[in-house]
């Protein structure tokens, strides 16, 4: 666990799905037509970033630490080091399409050596389906596959609607990275391979059942996609060919620490058969995991249990071996009606994934019947693996480590039904800022202090833009949460402080979306000093810098039309991961923590968030 702490201190970014300030609109036009005209990501003014960095530190470090950091920042600004690095960054911005994207991909994902399962790959819990047998499971999976192939057609023909924010087109590049792609482990750094753009793009998906992988061709010889009925028949064949439950769970290797998996991977693909099987998984358009039913839990625990299943599969006894965690998109369909997905985060953020989900769910609701051509389809190919004693040992080690991760992850999904985003809008408040203040209040009530908080925001207004961070903890948010705990404060004053904190958050969000936040700029300056092989500037070696990047609250809003919720693990050993989907009349909120930390508890924090939201609602209504 300590490695996570070190990682958070070393890199100023966290790897979470992101949100946008306002609802994104879509316009039907070529989704690549605006790409060339998109503006480049700006390099913010150095003085502005330094001032905003000090302001962000004020509520989370002591006065002594802040005074010390102020001296270091002044030295950085006036001593020539900052100016030299800033000019280098501006030079890089002129020469590249995006000065940040390669560094971000490297530092946030490919250099990260923690397992992708739990630590970086988000899961999505879809509404519970009302099937309880394999026929229902197959039928649902067949419709889902057909829906994703319809989505793929828009990608292939470049007819995906362009998204707009504040009448400005957004970069659509991430949509072209999520299908036919896979992360490839390396001994020290991973890579991402995208097989979609070649002379012979993949025409198959992989299906895994009872730990056994199959290649399922999803196109007819004339290039038309298989119909739902054809896919269903092929899935039946796969099911009937994989009834044995004693097979080695080769996929569990992908859940390991990246260095460990990198070595095991090189050992695995020494064998020609194994190499071909691995390549077939990597090149597939996406993966479908047909999961065995999980142990039954009460209705109150159901969503939390499914969220955990999406993140890690439930352990080696259950479905953790029924995955290839390096695969960008894995749709999970359980025999017991649980369904969702897990995605490898390197190629894309949350919004493209959620757009895909919304599109596929809409497709699946259509009842039109497409007549299947009466063409006999060949048996889907089962992928073979030769398991040597060494590979067997690697699998056993991966099982043990996965079971420890499963035991350590504490997940609570809060389906908050008292009100939704409409309430904040009625009071002319940003729903996202309202939720963020509730998280601040909940944390302060539990720990009597404010903490470093990260909320992901999108940089897709810019070419190849990924994310930057919104720093939720501000002097204004601190004033608000302290006032809420002070019985001497009048309700009118508390409301005024809430409104101010919400406005500050809204301003910070606007700055982040427009490329004027601090975290990626600081990362760029730091990366440049590493590349220049000069001594590391002291502001990056400072205690305040470590505190600022130790995110006890790592948060993200991922809005969806579908009544689903995204979830991800905490960024630090003593922190929480919080993802929420604000619906009109309710909020879906997924909270994670680690059981190995005595101070954190997902259920207690969930209760604190519920109480905070209700108290803030009362504050709005009592003050009318």
């Amino acid at each position: 666990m300590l490695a996570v702490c070190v990682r958070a201190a070393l890199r100023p970014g966290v790897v979470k799905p992101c949100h946008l300030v306002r609802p994104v609109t879509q316009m039907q036009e070529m989704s690549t037509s605006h790409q060339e005209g998109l503006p480049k990501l700006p390099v913010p003014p150095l003085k502005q970033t330094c001032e905003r960095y000090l302001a962000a530190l004020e509520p989370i470090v002591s006065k002594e630490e802040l005074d010390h950091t102020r001296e270091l920042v002044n030295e950085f600004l006036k001593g020539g080091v900052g100016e030299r690095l800033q000019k280098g960054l501006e030079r890089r911005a002129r020469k590249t399409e995006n000065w940040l994207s390669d560094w971000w991909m490297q530092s946030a994902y490919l250099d990260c050596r923690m397992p992708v399962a739990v630590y970086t790959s988000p899961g999505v819990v879809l509404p519970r389906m009302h099937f309880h047998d394999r026929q229902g499971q197959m039928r649902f999976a067949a419709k889902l596959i057909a829906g994703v192939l319809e989505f793929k057609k828009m990608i292939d023909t470049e007819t995906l609607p362009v998204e707009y924010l504040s009448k400005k087109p957004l970069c659509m590049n991430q949509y072209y990275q999520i299908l036919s792609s896979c992360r490839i482990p390396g001994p020290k750094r991973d890579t991402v391979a995208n097989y979609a753009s070649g002379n012979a793009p993949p025409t198959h998906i992989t299906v895994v059942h009872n730990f056994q992988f199959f290649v399922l061709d999803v196109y007819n010889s004339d290039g038309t996609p298989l119909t739902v009925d054809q896919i269903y028949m092929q899935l039946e064949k796969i099911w009937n060919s994989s009834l044995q439950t004693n097979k080695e769970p080769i996929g569990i290797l992908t859940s390991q620490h990246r260095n460990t998996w990198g070595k095991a991977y090189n050992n695995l693909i020494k064998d020609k058969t194994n190499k071909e099987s691995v390549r077939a998984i990597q090149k597939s358009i996406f993966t479908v995991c047909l999961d065995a039913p999980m142990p039954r839990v009460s209705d109150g625990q159901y969503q939390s249990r499914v969220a955990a299943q999406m993140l890690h599969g439930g352990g080696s006894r259950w479905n953790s071996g029924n995955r290839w965690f390096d695969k960008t998109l894995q749709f999970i369909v359980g025999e017991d009606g649980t369904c969702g997905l897990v995605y490898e985060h390197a190629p894309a953020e949350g919004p493209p994934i959620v757009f895909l989900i919304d599109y596929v769910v809409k497709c699946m609701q259509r009842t039109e019947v497409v007549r299947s051509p009466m063409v006999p389809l060949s048996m889907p190919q089962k992928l073979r693996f030769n398991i040597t004693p060494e590979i067997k040992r690697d699998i056993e080690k991966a099982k043990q480590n996965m079971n420890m991760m499963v035991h350590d992850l504490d997940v609570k999904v809060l389906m908050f039904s008292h009100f939704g985003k409409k309430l904040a809008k009625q009071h002319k408040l940003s729903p996202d800022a309202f939720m963020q203040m509730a998280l601040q209040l909940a944390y302060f009530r539990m720990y009597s202090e404010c903490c470093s908080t990260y909320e992901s925001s999108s940089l897709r207004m810019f070419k190849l833009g990924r994310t930057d961070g919104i720093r939720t903890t501000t002097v204004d948010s601190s004033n608000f949460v302290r006032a809420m705990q002070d019985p001497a404060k009048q309700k009118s004053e508390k409301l005024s402080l809430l409104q101010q904190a919400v406005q500050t958050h809204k301003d910070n969000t606007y700055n982040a979306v427009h490329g004027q936040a601090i975290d990626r700029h600081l990362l760029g300056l730091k990366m440049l000093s590493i590349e220049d092989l000069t001594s590391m500037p002291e502001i990056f070696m400072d205690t305040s810098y470590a505190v600022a990047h130790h995110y006890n609250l790592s948060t993200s809003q991922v809005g969806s039309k579908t009544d689903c919720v995204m979830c991800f693990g905490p960024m630090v050993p003593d922190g929480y991961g919080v993802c929420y989907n604000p619906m009109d009349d309710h909020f879906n909120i997924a909270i994670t923590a680690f059981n190995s930390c005595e101070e954190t508890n997902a259920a207690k924090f969930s209760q604190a968030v519920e109480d905070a939201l209700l108290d803030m609602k009362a504050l709005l209504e009592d003050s009318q």
Side-chain angles (χ1 to χ4, degrees), residues 3-19 100 103-110 112 118-122 343 345-346 348-350 436 452-459 466-472 518-521 523 545-557 568-573 575-578:
V4 191
C5 178
V6 171
R7 177 182 55 148
L10 284 178
R11 65 188 180 90
V14 278
V15 197
K16 293 298 161 224
C18 67
H19 88 290
L100 172 65
W103 275 342
W104 177 241
M105 185 79 142
Q106 174 191 325
S107 65
Y109 303 106
L110 305 180
C112 178
V118 174
Y119 290 93
T120 61
S121 293
Y343 77 95
H345 210 328
E349 264 70 57
Q436 286 289 330
S452 185
T453 305
Y454 177 95
E455 181 183 7
S456 185
S457 74
S458 174
L459 287 175
R466 293 291 301 259
T467 64
D468 208 328
I470 306 162
R471 289 194 164 266
T472 303
I518 63 171
D519 283 298
R520 302 301 180 264
H521 188 197
L523 172 67
Y545 191 79
V547 172
H549 296 102
H550 186 89
Y551 297 111
N552 293 94
L553 279 178
S554 171
T555 73
S556 187
Q557 169 183 283
F568 48 74
M571 276 308 298
V572 295
Y576 295 97
V578 184

Side-chain angles (χ1 to χ4, degrees), residues 18 20 24 126 176 202 224 439 535:
C18 67
L20 300 160
V24 170
L126 289 172
Y176 294 84
T224 57
L439 298 178
S535 60

Side-chain angles (χ1 to χ4, degrees), residues 315-333:
S316 63
R317 277 188 59 208
W318 302 101
N319 294 297
S320 295
N322 218 45
R323 304 279 185 275
W324 194 267
F325 283 105
D326 289 356
K327 195 75 195 130
T328 306
L329 269 182
Q330 296 191 93
F331 294 93
I332 297 158
V333 184

Side-chain angles (χ1 to χ4, degrees), residues 155-299:
I155 299 281
D156 294 343
T157 55
E158 296 185 358
T159 53
L160 195 66
V162 175
E163 293 178 317
Y164 279 75
L165 181 68
S166 304
K167 299 184 180 174
K168 291 179 181 172
L170 300 180
C171 179
M172 302 297 288
N173 177 64
Q174 289 179 38
Y175 283 95
Y176 294 84
Q177 312 306 321
I178 56 180
L179 297 173
S180 311
S181 60
C182 193
R183 185 159 166 163
I184 316 287
K188 289 183 180 172
R189 176 185 291 176
D190 295 355
T191 52
V192 172
N194 189 322
Y195 302 96
S197 56
N199 295 332
T203 55
H204 71 280
I205 66 169
T206 35
V207 178
V208 53
H209 176 242
N210 279 337
F211 312 152
Q212 296 158 70
F213 287 84
F214 292 79
V215 165
L216 170 51
D217 284 306
V218 286
Y219 292 94
N220 292 299
S221 54
D222 63 357
T224 57
L226 299 192
T227 64
V228 171
D229 286 342
Q230 285 178 308
I231 297 167
Y232 176 84
M233 283 157 50
Q234 295 298 79
L235 291 176
E236 277 278 317
K237 291 177 191 172
I238 286 171
W239 178 284
N240 291 325
S241 307
S242 53
L243 296 174
Q244 314 94 315
T245 56
N246 61 346
K247 294 293 182 182
E248 287 293 345
I250 194 81
I252 207 163
L253 291 172
T254 63
S255 69
Q256 278 280 49
H257 185 282
R258 301 308 293 176
N259 287 359
T260 308
W261 168 219
K263 287 175 194 161
Y265 175 82
N266 287 335
N267 184 43
L268 178 70
I269 62 170
K270 279 179 195 167
D271 178 278
K272 186 169 178 284
T273 301
N274 294 351
K275 187 173 187 175
E276 286 172 1
S277 294
V278 168
R279 286 285 181 268
I281 297 169
Q282 290 169 338
K283 287 184 174 181
S284 62
I285 302 165
F286 57 92
T287 296
V288 173
C289 311
L290 299 174
D291 272 13
M294 293 287 287
R296 291 214 165 174
V297 291
S298 68
D299 286 348

